[in-house]
DNA sequence: GTTACTGCAAACGATTTGCAAGTGG
DNA sequence: CCACTTGCAAATCGTTTGCAGTAAC
């Protein structure tokens, strides 16, 4: 990630911690740093492994805590595609793309779309001040669609 | 729910079961029936209780199984707003509304919008066959926005 | 100093799984 | 009758929680 943007994000985190009178610990900043290295979704377990690999020891409990704080701060966004695992993403990344979720294999693909933001801003939301959005489109990925088609062909032989 | 619509849904379920060579058990139909009684989101535990109240005994395992089948059939839709509990909804209901989620108080409001479906259909999704979508807009509900404004006013006095 | 934060391990609880008994086709 | 379904209970595993030690302010 662009280091200028990363600094922006770090500064907004600092501002949030100050406003909420929360402590600025090295764990919190190290975790945010590592999160910025993901170019797409991540989950707690992967984040934990990456931090260990980077030789930074943090407990899972702290990760869960920090990720909650970052979510409250509006810096990351929570995605729950499967029952098993919560995924997160930098809100900055999430803003301009939508998520294509395969109903068969649960794979998630991100799709950038320049019009999306504009489209959604045309929606009227009375008595509600929108900040950001997430659009999930469920369906079949090319691979599963293919598989399904082959099965149908087989059956009709 | 309109009994005509309910019949439509039941018939589409039957068609699905036939096509997939799955069995048409009384449990499956009783569960679908009960699901139709919800006017909004529901979860497995509430569904279980309602069925027991209606004097229909089913195990949780069967509920989980059936709900998966119904999801595959495209009759219900899975929502995962909180970490704790998966929620479901009839797709028929979900199709034309979006979810306004307050970042302060976590309240969820459903908002019907006639344009939404059309807007989202204009999006191109290469190598992906869309089936349905969910749009979540995060922001501040009127109440929390108000509270925030009052605090700001107080601070600037 | 005070008290929020961290780390560890144990607890939790929704969902999943294994298997014997039941029943649709 | 075959094998898909159900019910029950046990297992699973991501997440949460309690508490003692540590460090931010």
């Amino acid at each position: 990630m662009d280091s200028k943007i990363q600094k922006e994000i770090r500064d907004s985190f600092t501002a949030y911690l100050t406003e909420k009178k929360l402590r600025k610990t090295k764990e919190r900043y190290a975790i945010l740093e590592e999160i910025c290295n993901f170019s797409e979704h991540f989950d707690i377990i992967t984040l934990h492994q990456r931090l260990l690999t980077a030789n930074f020891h943090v407990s899972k409990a702290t990760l869960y805590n920090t990720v909650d704080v970052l979510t409250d701060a509006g810096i990351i966004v929570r995605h729950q595609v499967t029952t098993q695992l919560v995924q997160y993403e930098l809100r900055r990344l999430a803003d301009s793309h939508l998520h294509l979720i395969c109903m068969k294999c649960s794979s998630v693909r991100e799709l950038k779309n320049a019009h999306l933001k504009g489209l959604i801003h045309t929606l009227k939301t009375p008595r509600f001040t929108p900040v950001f959005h997430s659009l999930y489109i469920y369906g079949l990925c090319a691979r599963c669609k293919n598989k399904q088609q082959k099965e149908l062909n087989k059956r009709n032989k």
Side-chain angles (χ1 to χ4, degrees), chain A residues 8 18 22-23 41 43 48 62 65-66 73 108 119 147:
Chain A
E8 243 176 77
T18 302
L22 298 171
R23 291 183 181 169
H41 295 184
D43 57 72
H48 195 217
T62 299
N65 168 30
T66 303
V108 182
L119 278 182
K147 230 182 253 176

Side-chain angles (χ1 to χ4, degrees), chain A residues 34-141:
Chain A
E34 197 59 49
I35 286 176
C36 287
N37 291 335
F38 286 96
S39 57
E40 40 181 69
H41 295 184
F42 63 90
D43 57 72
I44 297 283
I45 291 166
T46 312
L47 178 57
H48 195 217
Q49 289 169 342
R50 288 248 194 137
L51 282 161
L52 291 184
T53 305
N55 240 27
F56 191 91
H57 179 273
V58 240
S59 69
K60 290 243 185 80
T62 299
L63 280 185
Y64 280 106
N65 168 30
T66 303
V67 145
D68 274 355
V69 174
L70 287 167
T71 304
D72 269 353
I75 291 173
I76 63 177
V77 168
R78 188 205 301 265
H79 293 290
Q80 256 172 291
V81 178
T82 69
T83 349
Q84 305 292 7
L85 208 62
V86 183
Q87 296 198 301
Y88 298 89
E89 182 181 29
L90 276 174
R91 198 179 106 198
R92 164 176 294 275
L93 295 175
D95 254 359
S96 59
H97 67 227
L98 52 94
H99 299 83
L100 303 177
I101 304 176
C102 179
M103 295 162 77
K104 274 273 179 292
C105 68
S106 294
S107 68
V108 182
R109 204 175 104 210
E110 299 178 350
L111 182 64
K112 283 199 184 270
N113 187 300
H115 300 296
L116 181 63
K117 233 176 170 171
L119 278 182
I120 290 180
H121 285 338
T122 67
L123 296 170
K124 296 265 184 289
T125 56
R127 288 173 296 110
F128 189 89
T129 313
V131 176
F132 71 97
H133 58 260
S134 291
L135 174 60
Y136 303 96
I137 300 186
Y138 294 83
L140 290 175
C141 69

